[in-house]
Structures are given as C-alpha cells and as structure tokens.
Amino acid sequence: MASWLKLLPFVLFLGIAGFLFKGLSLDPAELPSPLIGKLSPQFTSAKLPASDGIFDSQSMKGEVWVLNVWASWCGPCVAEHPYLKQLAAQRDVPLVGLNYKDEADNALSWLRQLGNPFTHLLDDNQGDVGLDWGVYGVPETFIIDRSGRVRYKHVGPVLDGDLEAHILPVIDQLQQEPLT
Amino acid sequence: MNSVFLRLRLSTGVCASALLLCFLVTTGQLHAADELVSFSNPEHKVMYQELLREYRCLKCQNQNLADSDASLAGDLRREIRRLIEAGGNQADIEEYLVSRYGEFVLYRPRFNSKTMILWIGPFVLLVVGLFSLFVMVRGKSSATRHKNESSANDVATAVVLSPDLPDAEKLSRARDLLR
C-alpha cells in the first residue's frame, strides 16, 4: 500500500478536528444578517410619545444613522445603555431607538430613569418593524450608510470593547464615504 | 366483595384519567403551534402545518417554528399564516424568511457553493472509505499469496538438494507439495 494512503486517516482526522476546534470559539447565537450590503427595509412608525408624530425611514436618506432595537423588559439593554449614551455624546450621528414589543409607559419611565440618548424614539409595539429587519433578539444594533444600505449589524448588547472596536470605526468610515 | 370491586373500578378509572391527562399535557407541550388557527381552506392548514416543521426558530435554535413557544416564533407563525392565506406558495414564504434571517432559518439548506460540502461530503467520505478498504483488502490477500508461494518454493528446493534422502522419498515429498 502506498505510504500516502496510510496517512489519509490521520489527515482526515486533523481536518475534522480542525473544524470542530474552530467551532468551539464560534457563537451559535450570532447569525450573519442577510441585510448587510442591501437597502434597509423602508418603514414608517409611530414615535414615542405618540404626540411626537410619525417617523419615516426615508427621511434619513443622505445620513449615516444607527438603529438600536431595545425594550424596557430586556436585561442586557440596561448594560448596553451607558455605551449608547457614550456613542451619542462622542459622534454626531442620529441614533434611532426602536422600542420593540414594549409598553409605552414602561419604555418612557425606563428612559427617564436611565437617560435618553435617542434622536428618534419609535414605538414598535407589535414587533412589525423588527420582523422586517430580521430582529431575533434584543438588543440589536444596525448601522445604515448615506445611501440607505445596512452596513453593519451587532447582535446582543454593545459593550465597551464593541463600541471602540466596531461601532465607532464603522460610523467614521461610513461618514467619510460620499453619497452614491 | 362488592365494595372491593367498586374500589378496583374506581382506581382503574383514576389511573386511566391520570394517563390521559399526562398524554394531553405532553402533546400540548410538543406542539406549541396547535393554537386555534383557522384557515379558509383545509389545504392551507395542511401546508401551514408542514411548513412550520421546515423552519428554525431563530431564538431557540434547536426547535422548529411549530414547536417553539418563543414570541418570535409566534410572530413568524402569524406571518406565515398571513402569506398562505394571501395565496403565497412555499417559495414565497421561504423568500420572506431567508431575506430576513438568512438561510440558517431553513432546516434543509439550499444546494449552493457554500453548502455543497454538507450535501456531498458524506458521499465523498463513503467513496474514500470504500476505496481504502478495497486497497487494503487487495494488498493483504496478494501479500499472503506471495508469502505462501515463496515458502513452498523454499521447501521444494531444500528437499531436492537434500543429500541424505533417497530419490523415492524426494519424489513423494514433491508430490505432497504439488498437491
């Protein structure tokens, strides 16, 4: 028998073990969004409080903006909140908060307590907007470029490292891109 | 006597209802999707129930949309029902889900360059396994045959060259070897 053939099982083992080892460090809850690079879903949504009127996603065209999906019932959102405030303070970028499947009163009192970093606060009581954006867990954060394409998605709370390593650099880069 | 009989009947009845209750409870848990959903036509209902088993709940990833109690699964069931009632076919519904959540939502991955290894990998491994088995078995049997032949040759040479044996003896041993 040829000697390379004797090595074949070992090579196969190494290959499979390599894949399994890589799998150990992957987070199965984090899915790549099919929206990346595509035009963001268009929507209109009532604002919070309702007296603020209606938000139309078309109005954001020409600007880099951030969509953060949150809820007052969501534990990790509390941990994320200081970093959203930091983001609002450090960058001149509209931060749109989508209040997902929440009660208006709970949401507003949550923000009164913790502070409101959002430029626009939207009421997605039924989760319809969230459904179109493929939201499957809260919080989730999207960054949309000037021409309305979704360029980045963060699943789970944005924490200290995430802001510095991903969110801020992506915003800076997109703000430098010309409108196409 | 009569009271014993009565007690026996009573306890059988209790057991039976307890069993029935267990059955009802477990089946209820297994099929979160058996909500009271009504359809304008029975074919739609069949399609709905079949499709729910084809798609993954993104929130609790090892459950399908039929089994999951997550609120996202409820929303997606509602949307799928709406699409079916609006006359959508399976491709429409798949497109709706995949455009939002990616192909991960499908329990049966589509066949493309990324998933090719999943689909044909097992068959490639099977062929490689069968091929190496064939090579190993053939190698072993030819080696054994070769070994047998050469040891018979050695004995024959030793017998023929041996100076002590009478010719008659040599002849009979040679016959033995040839047999």
Side-chain angles (χ1 to χ4, degrees), chain A residues 1-2 4-6 8-9 12, chain B residues 124-142:
Chain A
M1 188 166 48
W4 65 267
L5 214 53
K6 277 188 189 159
L8 191 64
L12 278 179
Chain B
V124 171
L125 281 181
L126 182 70
V127 169
V128 168
L130 283 177
F131 175 73
S132 29
L133 188 72
F134 173 73
V135 168
M136 277 193 301
V137 167
R138 204 188 54 172
K140 192 169 261 177
S141 69
S142 84

Coordinates of all heavy atoms in Angstrom, one line a residue, chain A residues 1-2 4-6 8-9 12, chain B residues 124-142:
Chain A
M1 N 0.8 -1.2 0.0 CA 0.0 0.0 0.0 C 0.9 1.3 0.0 O 1.9 1.3 0.7 CB -0.9 0.0 1.3 CG -1.9 1.1 1.2 SD -3.2 0.8 2.4 CE -2.3 0.5 3.9
A2 N 0.5 2.2 -0.8 CA 1.3 3.5 -0.9 C 1.3 4.1 0.5 O 0.3 4.1 1.2 CB 0.6 4.4 -1.9
W4 N 1.3 7.3 1.3 CA 0.4 8.4 1.5 C -1.0 8.0 1.9 O -1.7 8.7 2.6 CB 0.3 9.3 0.2 CG -0.3 8.6 -1.0 CD1 0.4 7.9 -2.0 CD2 -1.7 8.6 -1.3 NE1 -0.5 7.4 -2.9 CE2 -1.8 7.8 -2.5 CE3 -2.8 9.1 -0.7 CZ2 -3.0 7.5 -3.1 CZ3 -4.0 8.8 -1.3 CH2 -4.1 8.0 -2.5
L5 N -1.3 6.8 1.4 CA -2.7 6.3 1.8 C -2.8 5.9 3.2 O -3.8 6.1 3.9 CB -2.9 5.0 0.9 CG -4.4 4.8 0.5 CD1 -4.9 6.1 -0.2 CD2 -4.5 3.6 -0.4
K6 N -1.6 5.5 3.8 CA -1.6 5.2 5.2 C -1.8 6.5 6.0 O -2.4 6.4 7.1 CB -0.3 4.6 5.6 CG -0.2 3.1 5.3 CD 1.1 2.5 5.9 CE 1.3 1.1 5.5 NZ 2.6 0.7 5.6
L8 N -3.7 8.9 5.2 CA -5.0 9.5 4.9 C -5.9 9.6 6.1 O -6.5 10.7 6.3 CB -5.7 8.7 3.7 CG -6.9 9.4 3.2 CD1 -6.6 10.7 2.5 CD2 -7.6 8.5 2.2
P9 N -6.1 8.5 6.9 CA -7.0 8.7 8.0 C -6.5 9.8 9.0 O -7.3 10.5 9.5 CB -6.9 7.3 8.7 CG -6.4 6.4 7.7 CD -5.6 7.2 6.7
L12 N -7.4 13.1 7.5 CA -8.9 13.3 7.7 C -9.2 13.7 9.1 O -10.0 14.6 9.4 CB -9.7 12.0 7.3 CG -9.9 11.8 5.8 CD1 -10.7 10.5 5.6 CD2 -10.7 13.0 5.3
Chain B
V124 N -18.7 11.6 -0.4 CA -17.3 11.6 -0.8 C -16.5 10.7 0.3 O -15.7 9.9 -0.1 CB -16.7 13.0 -0.8 CG1 -15.2 13.0 -0.9 CG2 -17.3 13.8 -1.9
L125 N -16.9 10.9 1.6 CA -16.2 10.2 2.6 C -16.5 8.7 2.4 O -15.6 7.8 2.6 CB -16.7 10.6 4.0 CG -16.1 11.9 4.5 CD1 -16.6 12.2 5.9 CD2 -14.6 11.7 4.6
L126 N -17.7 8.3 2.0 CA -18.1 6.9 1.8 C -17.3 6.3 0.7 O -16.7 5.2 0.9 CB -19.6 6.8 1.5 CG -20.1 5.4 1.3 CD1 -20.2 4.7 2.6 CD2 -21.5 5.4 0.6
V127 N -17.1 7.1 -0.4 CA -16.3 6.6 -1.5 C -14.9 6.4 -1.1 O -14.3 5.4 -1.4 CB -16.5 7.5 -2.7 CG1 -15.5 7.2 -3.8 CG2 -17.9 7.5 -3.3
V128 N -14.3 7.4 -0.4 CA -12.9 7.3 0.1 C -12.8 6.1 1.0 O -11.8 5.3 0.8 CB -12.5 8.6 0.8 CG1 -11.2 8.4 1.5 CG2 -12.4 9.7 -0.2
G129 N -13.7 5.9 1.9 CA -13.7 4.7 2.8 C -13.7 3.4 2.1 O -12.9 2.5 2.3
L130 N -14.6 3.3 1.1 CA -14.7 2.0 0.3 C -13.5 1.8 -0.5 O -13.0 0.6 -0.5 CB -16.0 2.1 -0.6 CG -17.3 1.9 0.1 CD1 -18.4 2.1 -1.0 CD2 -17.4 0.6 0.7
F131 N -12.9 2.9 -1.1 CA -11.7 2.7 -1.9 C -10.6 2.2 -1.0 O -9.8 1.3 -1.4 CB -11.4 4.1 -2.5 CG -10.1 4.1 -3.3 CD1 -10.0 3.4 -4.5 CD2 -9.0 4.7 -2.8 CE1 -8.8 3.4 -5.2 CE2 -7.8 4.7 -3.5 CZ -7.7 4.0 -4.7
S132 N -10.4 2.9 0.2 CA -9.2 2.4 1.0 C -9.4 1.0 1.5 O -8.5 0.3 1.6 CB -9.0 3.4 2.1 OG -10.1 4.1 2.5
L133 N -10.7 0.7 1.8 CA -11.0 -0.7 2.3 C -10.6 -1.7 1.1 O -9.9 -2.7 1.4 CB -12.5 -0.8 2.6 CG -12.9 -2.1 3.2 CD1 -12.4 -2.2 4.6 CD2 -14.4 -2.3 3.1
F134 N -11.0 -1.3 -0.1 CA -10.7 -2.2 -1.3 C -9.2 -2.3 -1.4 O -8.7 -3.5 -1.5 CB -11.3 -1.5 -2.5 CG -10.9 -2.2 -3.8 CD1 -11.4 -3.4 -4.1 CD2 -10.0 -1.6 -4.6 CE1 -11.1 -4.0 -5.3 CE2 -9.7 -2.2 -5.8 CZ -10.2 -3.4 -6.2
V135 N -8.4 -1.2 -1.3 CA -7.0 -1.3 -1.5 C -6.3 -2.1 -0.4 O -5.5 -2.9 -0.7 CB -6.4 0.2 -1.5 CG1 -4.9 0.2 -1.4 CG2 -6.8 0.9 -2.8
M136 N -6.8 -1.9 0.8 CA -6.2 -2.7 1.9 C -6.4 -4.2 1.8 O -5.5 -5.0 2.0 CB -6.8 -2.2 3.3 CG -6.1 -0.9 3.8 SD -6.5 -0.5 5.5 CE -8.2 -0.3 5.4
V137 N -7.7 -4.5 1.5 CA -8.0 -6.0 1.4 C -7.2 -6.6 0.2 O -6.7 -7.7 0.4 CB -9.5 -6.1 1.2 CG1 -9.9 -7.6 0.7 CG2 -10.3 -5.8 2.4
R138 N -7.2 -5.9 -0.9 CA -6.4 -6.5 -2.0 C -4.9 -6.6 -1.7 O -4.3 -7.6 -2.0 CB -6.6 -5.6 -3.3 CG -6.4 -6.3 -4.6 CD -6.4 -5.4 -5.7 NE -5.5 -4.3 -5.5 CZ -5.2 -3.4 -6.4 NH1 -5.8 -3.5 -7.6 NH2 -4.3 -2.5 -6.2
G139 N -4.4 -5.6 -1.1 CA -3.0 -5.6 -0.7 C -2.7 -6.8 0.2 O -1.7 -7.5 0.0
K140 N -3.5 -7.0 1.2 CA -3.3 -8.1 2.2 C -3.4 -9.4 1.5 O -2.5 -10.3 1.7 CB -4.4 -8.0 3.3 CG -4.0 -8.8 4.5 CD -5.0 -8.5 5.7 CE -4.3 -7.6 6.7 NZ -5.2 -7.2 7.7
S141 N -4.4 -9.7 0.6 CA -4.5 -11.0 0.1 C -3.4 -11.3 -0.9 O -2.9 -12.5 -0.9 CB -5.9 -11.2 -0.6 OG -5.9 -10.4 -1.8
S142 N -2.9 -10.3 -1.7 CA -1.8 -10.6 -2.6 C -0.5 -10.9 -1.8 O 0.3 -11.7 -2.2 CB -1.6 -9.5 -3.6 OG -0.9 -8.5 -3.1

